[in-house]
Amino acid sequence: MEPRRAGNLDLNLLVTLDAVLAERSTRRAAARLKVTQPAVSHALRRLRETLGDPLLIPTAGGMVPTPRAERLAGTLRRCLAELEGALDEGDAFDPATARRSFVLSAPDATGALLLPSLMRQLARAAPGVDVVVRPPQAGLFERLASGEIDLALGVFDASPAPFRRKTLYRQRYACLVRAGHPRAPATFGLDDYLALDHVSVAPQGAAGSPVDDALAKLGRRRRVALVVPHFLVAPLVVAETDLALLAPEGIGRRFGDLLGLRLVEPPLELGGFPVSQLWHERTQADPAHTWLRETLVALSKSL
């Protein structure tokens, strides 16, 4: 870019371009920046005139960046992140007066356990703090690094540098059946369990679960009559059918009383798994992010 062009650019225009490149939508960029959609469109128009490039092309699937915009995207994000870090360095965070939002990535099962207590805590201690939750998607590390997502919650096999991870709580498995199920005894033997039809949760669309792996080692298998992508759908099905569900125990306890479900110990030792929070090193020292992470750690003690 020529020095004359750089000198003519308003920093707000670059912030707007960064948001539109991340969201691929002027509407979502406007919501992220808390401005109107016409303001975003006006800023894009000024940038297009200054740079002599359309930058983003509207399509049916969203706005597609031009090659020039793609080359700008990485440098722009890094520069803005460094500038944000420099401006925020040493600033205190007062949750009682803060006005900001956090974007979290979380599967439905984790959200069902953590979000009610988190939102109660925000209402008491940080009434101006908003939360946006997005489902897990491909490219999580890149989204955390770019700042598109502030914090990820869930089960993570690894956290390579420059990412950090902290366990919030551990979950074990339970089998859920409806109260009054005619073929589900108070204690499951393996044959009792395999005599039932099952609903399985496959968030990524791939069948299989820890109990299927354990059964395969014994040369046994269960009949899965229904596969669904979300844990919060499955208990509703179990409540009105004779299907059984293997789920995190926390989900069973959350919905057991509401839906009239009974929790039964699985007939196989399945162990448990940790639920963690994951973040990028760039937010490690940020006071607002630190407060959010510490809040989630404190709330997780009850789980």
Side-chain angles (χ1 to χ4, degrees):
M1 182 186 298
E2 297 176 3
R4 177 179 59 82
R5 287 184 176 177
N8 289 339
L9 280 178
D10 180 345
L11 178 60
N12 287 325
L13 301 183
L14 297 178
V15 172
T16 300
L17 177 59
D18 177 61
V20 178
L21 284 169
E23 299 290 346
R24 304 297 171 91
S25 161
T26 56
R27 177 181 58 80
R28 290 195 297 271
R32 175 172 174 171
L33 298 172
K34 299 188 184 303
V35 300
T36 65
Q37 187 172 356
V40 171
S41 298
H42 176 69
L44 271 182
R45 184 166 61 252
R46 289 178 59 190
L47 276 171
R48 287 163 172 158
E49 293 172 356
T50 301
L51 300 179
D53 188 273
L55 297 176
L56 291 110
I57 308 299
T59 71
M63 303 190 78
V64 178
T66 65
R68 177 79 177 278
E70 288 181 332
R71 292 194 298 271
L72 282 172
T75 301
L76 179 59
R77 177 87 296 269
R78 288 193 299 273
C79 291
L80 289 176
E82 290 176 3
L83 179 58
E84 291 165 359
L87 293 174
D88 293 340
E89 185 175 0
D91 286 353
F93 177 73
D94 180 7
T97 59
R99 296 292 184 272
R100 65 157 298 160
S101 65
F102 291 103
V103 180
L104 308 183
S105 168
D108 61 337
T110 303
L113 297 183
L114 280 175
L115 290 178
S117 55
L118 174 61
M119 297 314 296
R120 286 196 301 270
Q121 178 64 17
L122 293 184
R124 289 191 296 263
V129 172
D130 302 325
V131 176
V132 177
V133 181
R134 296 179 178 173
Q137 296 175 306
L140 175 63
F141 291 151
E142 292 80 0
R143 294 170 187 270
L144 285 167
S146 71
E148 179 182 346
I149 293 174
D150 295 305
L151 192 65
L153 307 175
V155 180
F156 307 106
D157 295 330
S159 52
F163 296 89
R164 296 200 178 203
R165 177 178 57 171
K166 183 176 180 59
T167 297
L168 294 174
Y169 58 92
R170 291 191 63 84
Q171 281 278 274
R172 57 197 294 270
Y173 290 101
C175 185
L176 278 63
V177 295
R178 68 177 178 87
H181 193 297
R183 294 182 291 114
T187 301
F188 273 147
L190 183 57
D191 289 338
D192 298 320
Y193 181 76
L194 295 180
L196 302 177
D197 292 334
H198 299 261
V199 54
S200 179
V201 180
Q204 305 301 323
S209 71
V211 73
D212 292 307
D213 295 338
L215 288 170
K217 293 178 181 179
L218 299 176
R220 307 290 296 274
R221 61 182 299 178
R222 60 179 182 160
R223 177 178 181 253
V224 176
L226 174 66
V227 179
V228 296
H230 306 295
F231 269 109
L232 302 193
V233 173
L236 296 172
V237 175
V238 171
E240 298 187 24
T241 68
D242 287 340
L243 295 177
L245 168 67
L246 182 78
E249 186 179 26
I251 291 294
R253 298 196 180 281
R254 173 71 71 180
F255 291 98
D257 291 339
L258 290 175
L259 299 175
L261 303 180
R262 183 160 58 88
L263 276 67
V264 185
E265 189 77 18
L268 297 167
E269 177 55 49
L270 301 174
F273 57 90
V275 176
S276 305
Q277 54 182 343
L278 179 73
W279 67 97
H280 191 271
E281 179 67 31
R282 60 183 288 273
T283 61
Q284 167 64 17
D286 180 76
H289 283 259
T290 300
W291 174 84
L292 176 64
R293 296 193 302 267
E294 291 176 349
T295 296
L296 286 167
V297 169
L299 295 175
S300 298
K301 291 180 179 179
S302 65
L303 300 176

